[in-house]
Amino acid sequence: DKRSFRHFMLKEIHEQPETAALWVARHLPEVVEGEATPLVALPLAAEVFEGVERIQILACGTSRHAAQVGAYLLEQLAGIPTSVFYASEFRYAPPPLSPHTLTIGVTQSGETADTLAALAMEQERRRLVADPAYRPRLLGITNRAESSLARMVDHIFDIGAGIEVGVAATKTFLGQLLAFYGLSLAFAERRVGQRQGGVSSGRSREELKALVAQLRQLPQQLEALVADHDQRCASLAHRFEGTQDVIFLGRGINYPIALEGALKLKEISYIHAEGYPAGEMKHGPIALLDAKVPVVSIAMPGAVFDKVLSNAQEAKARDAQLIGVAPECPDAELFDVLLPVPAVDELLSPLLTVIPMQLLSYHIAAHRGLDVDQPRNLAKSVTVE
Ligand code: M6R
């Protein structure tokens, strides 16, 4: 039931601190002085990790955005070359087979036809190769441990987010992100100190420990953020009454969050929205901007902070109404509206920046009086190709 919430989507957004708390309790073991505790504890066999040289991830929609954050982490934290594919494209134009490859299917429902068909195709073509280096190794990340996905893959990571009723994926997205944080930390921990081609791949153990310590703070951070942005976004919604287009900008690990912000808004409010890597604006999309097109800019401290701020400046110079998803900013003048997010390690920032994305689209759609939980033309599981 929806308890006191107006829609399931809002209830599920508010359940995310709990999703994070469960993840911390399940997967971050207590550190005992003097004992060698692993950084993360995952219910996965060693076979998932051993000898993996490459990872490919197949998914659709929101699950694909989680996969894109995951690929960033697997490459930058663990040093493993990783590619993400639209499941519906992979099936008909798969890349040439690579050896020692882990294939990950991400689907919260575990029933998405495109994702299942792509995984089945990959399994089949690898089974036909005699060389064991090419054998299929399939891992599924899902919220439904009893699904069709679970029956077809060798290994399953159950995100355990609990039932999600709203068609728009929110807490399962957070659960998928957390699965990728766990997976990439586990790969990174196994690879600490390993060198490839003369350069160290991945992070030092100290760096990984610092990230894990910050992850323990996540449930409290989310609690505060959800409460704060629920109010801020509710009072912002009326500004979008006549809006027809919105642009979402992000870079690096927050580029997939810009894509997710745009997908959420399209899906439940029927407003046209696009997510772009902020640096790509000047190569075309900037022509769309004027005072009628709000721009949401995700600007979190880290490698690309200054670049994102200057990309936001470019949008502002075209009269766009600028909404910043950023820490309380030194450059306070830049944004017309600030949706403040605490500064954390850039690698962890998607876990926070996604909250204003979800609440902004929710409140815009609810303000328009739309059926947020059952948007037109959509279903919770897309079981046709
Ligand atoms: O069940 P799945 O995660 O495989 O679903 C994939 C997409 O259909 C899904 O994420 C869709 O984009 C959502 N409605 C997003 O909110």
Side-chain angles (χ1 to χ4, degrees), residues 8 24 28 48 81 97 132 187 220 231 271 330 341 359 383:
F8 279 107
V24 169
L28 299 186
V48 172
L97 283 177
F187 268 113
Q220 298 92 298
Q231 292 197 348
I271 296 175
V341 172
L359 284 163
T383 52

Side-chain angles (χ1 to χ4, degrees), residues 154-292:
D154 315 299
H155 307 277
I156 200 87
F157 191 127
D158 178 2
I159 63 171
I163 301 263
E164 186 177 68
V165 177
V167 163
T170 53
K171 64 173 177 172
T172 56
F173 178 69
L174 187 85
Q176 291 168 341
L177 288 184
L178 287 169
F180 278 114
Y181 280 89
L183 209 56
S184 44
L185 282 165
F187 268 113
E189 189 174 21
R190 282 172 166 77
R191 294 177 165 228
V192 164
Q194 280 181 20
R195 299 176 83 78
Q196 280 174 359
V199 289
S200 173
S201 60
R203 304 285 171 117
S204 73
R205 193 171 165 86
E206 287 317 304
E207 286 173 297
L208 300 178
K209 271 166 86 174
L211 280 178
V212 168
Q214 285 196 45
L215 275 168
R216 290 186 197 277
Q217 307 303 315
L218 184 66
Q220 298 92 298
Q221 286 171 332
L222 286 175
E223 192 80 55
L225 210 58
V226 169
D228 181 31
H229 287 283
D230 197 1
Q231 292 197 348
R232 287 176 189 269
C233 294
S235 56
L236 214 56
H238 70 275
R239 288 192 181 216
F240 293 80
E241 269 163 19
T243 300
Q244 292 187 338
D245 308 275
V246 180
I247 303 286
F248 289 79
L249 301 180
R251 278 180 94 137
I253 198 164
N254 276 298
Y255 163 50
I257 303 301
L259 296 179
E260 176 60 6
L263 176 60
K264 280 284 149 306
L265 188 65
K266 280 186 263 213
E267 180 175 34
I268 59 170
S269 76
Y270 318 143
I271 296 175
H272 170 242
E274 297 299 337
Y276 287 106
E280 192 62 20
M281 275 302 282
K282 57 186 172 298
H283 299 288
I286 201 162
L288 293 169
L289 297 188
D290 62 24
K292 294 200 293 294

Side-chain angles (χ1 to χ4, degrees), residues 60-63 106-109 112 167-169 176 263-264 267 382:
C60 305
T62 286
S63 295
V106 191
T107 158
Q108 64 78 24
S109 63
T112 296
V167 163
Q176 291 168 341
L263 176 60
K264 280 284 149 306
E267 180 175 34
V382 184

